[in-house]
Amino acid sequence: MLLQLLANGLVNGCMIALMALGYALIYNTTRIFHVAHGAAYTAAAYLCYLLLIVFKWPLLLAVVGGVAAAALLGVTMELAVYAPLYRRGASDLISLISSLGLYVALVNLIALLFGNETKVLRPGVEKTCRLLGVILTRIQVAEVVVAAVLLPLLVLFLKRTLWGKIIRGVRDNPVLAEVLGIDLMAVRIAVFAAGSALAGMAACLTALDVGMDPQVGMPVLLTAAVALIVGGVGTFEGPVIGGFLLGLIQSLIVWKISAQWTDVITFGVLIVFLVFRPEGIASRRRRLEESAA
Amino acid sequence: MNVMNERPALNSPIQPEDFPERSPLLRVENVHAGYGKKEVLQGVTLSLAPGEIVAVIGANGAGKSTLLKVVAGLIKPAAGRVIFRGEDITNLPTYRRARGGIAYLIQGGAVFPSLSVGDHLELGRAAARRGGRVSCGVLPFPALEDRASSAAGLFSGGQRQALASATILSTEPALLLADEPSAGLAPAAAAELLATLAAASRERGLPVLWVEQRVADVLPLADRAVLLRSGLVAAETSSPGDWLDGETLAHLTFGRGA
Amino acid sequence: MNYLWHILVMISIYAILAASLNLVTGYSGLLSLCHAAFYGIGAYVTTLLMMRAGFGFLPAMALGAALTALISLAIAIPSLRLRGDYFVLATLGFQVIIFGVLYNWVSLTQGPYGIPGIPIPVILGIPVDTVFRYALLSGALAVACLVMIRAVARSPFGRLLRAVRDDEIAAAALGKNVPRIKITVFALGAAFAAVPGALFAGYMRFIDPTSFTLAEAIFILSIVVIGGAGSLAGPVLGAAFMVLLPEALRFLQMPDAVAANMRQIIYGLLLVVLMRFRPQGFLGKYGFE
Ligand SMILES: Nc1ncnc2c1ncn2[C@@H]1O[C@H](COP(=O)(O)OP(=O)(O)OP(=O)(O)O)[C@@H](O)[C@H]1O
Ligand SMILES: [Mg+2]
């Protein structure tokens, strides 16, 4: 029972961590509270549904399509909405309100096109695998494998490569980065593409596992944002750690209390962290004058 | 042809004869610029010849940093032009100017707090599209010794200033805009940093537009000096040493005195 | 005719909601996404006090407002010390938590089944039992709330709010206790939001958690933004616009299922377009800068 619980928490944590890392890429670099990231998630799930069920594409291609759709949508949002605001020097509040508007408009467009009801991508009983006394469906195994490959690679990439340093540099001090010759707009487009693709990946896998409705994006986005704060804003390993922690806590809630209290307790965790450790688990040491900001 | 991409190699200092009609390296023409509705620069004209160090002095709020920001491209002038190597760069974005060799040392020692010294140098060269690497060992900044791998966020103010200067120099710029590189340093360290920058400039033939509050330290190092007062060039001299006597300076700066 | 009075009731409810959020967001620059939670707490507390403790409508409403303000402290005190983004996320979280509690604490709120049979408000011995009378009641309460909010905005405290909004560091440097100012205005906004909650409960005579979702919180925020943050008339105009918009769509004979989504698409896009070209909204004085 405990092992099964851990396994479910792991699967859940993998998806939260993917979403949280994608969100962190965008948030850390642009400082935009990108709520519409949740809409990119939803759009990916629905495109996957469209390709798989309506157009009868093979599974793998449908997932690729969903991921590409999310990336495209993310970049479009940056080019059409955020970049003009950034050039104007608009405040963070303005980007946030725009993002809320984008989220509402996109999600309702999806609901208009596909209907409000829950959709299942894999009707029937999924084949399961048994491993060390734990039962997982094949999709769940795929979720773990994808996360196990992508997460360490990405975190290492961001830590070690020049690209990762550029992204961290832009996050630390965008003006200095630009003055040194970095094309901020190109970096922003890149992080929107990569971050949204990660959301798309999490969305397609989760949709294959448990289905979706037009409203799925928001709770997933919020959980990712909580994972980012719990793990440590400004880092890239933080959201991954936070994601797994939340995954475990959530499956513990499902087991011990009731699935209905998941959201309440997730945000309870957030409030606890805001009170006692607002810098998160993994955040680096800072000088005082920085943390005051 | 786009001059910005065709830069002479670093070790062949730019010669005046590279430029037809002996045009200056940088020319700022009648620039008006400011923040929002507030106009700070009200028609500044100035030029800088290859290899020349020009000191820009003036009271707090005179518009010195604003002038450098206009040249670096962080502020678009409301009127006037900026010409670099004979090309009008008034509308060129900041990062393209940086890749073309205009380096801006921001006031206050800006660094990337989560990156190490090595990362700064790597990032600086890559961003400015310079190949190869610079090792920290060769940089003339004693403040950075032994700190090569720690995150800049934990540095002291002086170490940050040194790192900011080192990062800029490592990008092998064609023009340096230095905004009070010595601010916040202990007097000895400040004098040392100024001497290091001046030596680096002389060695490489690197022209510098140099904003400095430590007038007595910078004037002897400069070829020319410009005095900004309320957004205008109030005075200019090709023998900056003449301004060193305190009375002249007070007169020039505040419009009073003898 | 009843249709017109119904519209008036709805505009009153949303005008108070928007005006109270405007106090927090427009005058103080705090973007809060949990106003629907305060609205819901007001509705539930008023209902429960009326049905279980035999309170009259107005006393129940007043107590509801006080309790809502108290509950708002639980979110304001930990999150207002932190940077703006944390505060937004904390309010989002609070909204989700309150919805979860309303939905899952079945013994108190009857959860998803909702509470039916809420008694008709009786004011000064007169039962408010027609739509016309309800329009009078809600109109009167709306005017009262708006007058009070205007008084706050024009008081020295209101000036302090704008000072904190426009330059927090300067205000702190002048010795103002910035966190306390923010917490106070947040609680004040929460108390005012409880009033339309009570009005809504007494009008519908049935409440369930689905009226107090995050989507509703975003809706209230967009009324403020569209009408114009930081102005006195903006929230009223915004409320009228947003309440009339679906009616206009109905007039265009759009099927109801489509109209619901369509309305949201329109206001979502409106937010995006306004932020790009006119961040201060139709009538606003504050452009979120
Ligand atoms: N970001 C800004 N927004 C609005 N006004 C600004 C901004 N930066 C500078 N100013 C104003 O522009 C004027 C010139 O500022 P600038 O920074 O160019 O002065 P400076 O000569 O560099 O002064 P200092 O020696 O103190 O660095 C000042 O009056 C200042 O208040
Ligand atoms: Mg300056």
Side-chain angles (χ1 to χ4, degrees), chain B:
Chain B
M1 189 192 76
N2 186 355
V3 207
M4 296 299 292
N5 297 327
E6 309 274 317
R7 222 172 52 80
L10 176 84
N11 35 16
S12 66
I14 302 144
Q15 300 300 321
E17 53 267 30
D18 290 350
F19 298 94
E21 313 153 32
R22 291 189 52 94
S23 61
L25 179 72
L26 173 77
R27 194 170 158 71
V28 174
E29 270 178 18
N30 192 26
V31 159
H32 294 251
Y35 307 87
K37 288 191 192 80
K38 176 175 176 179
E39 185 167 88
V40 174
L41 300 181
Q42 308 175 345
V44 170
T45 300
L46 121 169
S47 45
L48 193 111
E52 197 179 31
I53 296 181
V54 174
V56 179
I57 58 178
N60 292 124
K64 305 180 297 293
S65 297
T66 308
L67 172 63
L68 294 198
K69 286 183 203 162
V70 167
V71 178
L74 290 174
I75 298 176
K76 293 271 167 285
R81 302 195 301 164
V82 179
I83 293 164
F84 181 60
R85 290 179 159 159
E87 190 186 354
D88 187 340
I89 58 165
T90 316
N91 292 314
L92 207 62
T94 298
Y95 77 93
R96 294 271 308 275
R97 299 187 197 200
R99 289 176 187 177
I102 299 183
Y104 174 32
L105 190 53
I106 301 173
Q107 183 168 12
V111 294
F112 301 117
S114 68
L115 299 185
S116 69
V117 174
D119 291 341
H120 276 79
L121 302 184
E122 183 185 354
L123 187 58
R125 290 186 66 82
R129 297 285 153 95
R130 311 279 178 265
R133 280 170 171 266
V134 172
S135 116
C136 319
V138 306
L139 291 166
F141 294 98
L144 298 180
E145 271 164 28
D146 311 327
R147 309 237 40 167
S149 56
S150 49
L154 304 169
F155 281 16
S156 77
Q159 289 166 332
R160 286 179 194 217
Q161 284 283 10
L163 175 57
S165 306
T167 307
I168 287 292
L169 287 182
S170 77
T171 66
E172 299 170 19
L175 165 65
L176 176 61
L177 312 168
D179 199 345
E180 302 193 25
S182 71
L185 298 193
E192 192 178 286
L193 186 88
L194 292 188
T196 309
L197 274 180
S201 155
R202 295 281 177 238
E203 220 170 82
R204 309 175 182 199
L206 168 65
V208 186
L209 193 57
W210 194 329
V211 171
E212 192 52 72
Q213 294 290 354
R214 307 177 66 90
V215 177
D217 288 330
V218 76
L219 286 180
L221 300 171
D223 299 313
R224 283 193 304 126
V226 169
L227 176 82
L228 275 191
R229 194 196 300 142
S230 29
L232 286 168
V233 175
E236 226 179 319
T237 176
S238 330
S239 46
D242 296 355
W243 283 4
L244 270 175
D245 100 75
E247 221 172 339
T248 322
L249 206 63
H251 178 76
L252 286 170
T253 314
F254 304 110
R256 58 180 151 77

Side-chain angles (χ1 to χ4, degrees), chain A residues 162 165-166 168-169 171-173 175-183 284-285 287 290, chain B residues 94-95 98-99 104 110-115 119 122-123 126-128 153-155 160:
Chain A
L162 176 64
K165 286 171 193 168
I166 289 178
R168 285 190 286 148
R171 175 195 74 199
D172 279 2
N173 191 338
V175 176
L176 176 59
E178 193 175 12
V179 157
L180 286 176
I182 286 169
D183 182 355
R284 67 199 155 80
R285 281 193 299 151
R287 289 172 61 98
E290 258 188 276
Chain B
T94 298
Y95 77 93
R99 289 176 187 177
Y104 174 32
V111 294
F112 301 117
S114 68
L115 299 185
D119 291 341
E122 183 185 354
L123 187 58
L154 304 169
F155 281 16
R160 286 179 194 217

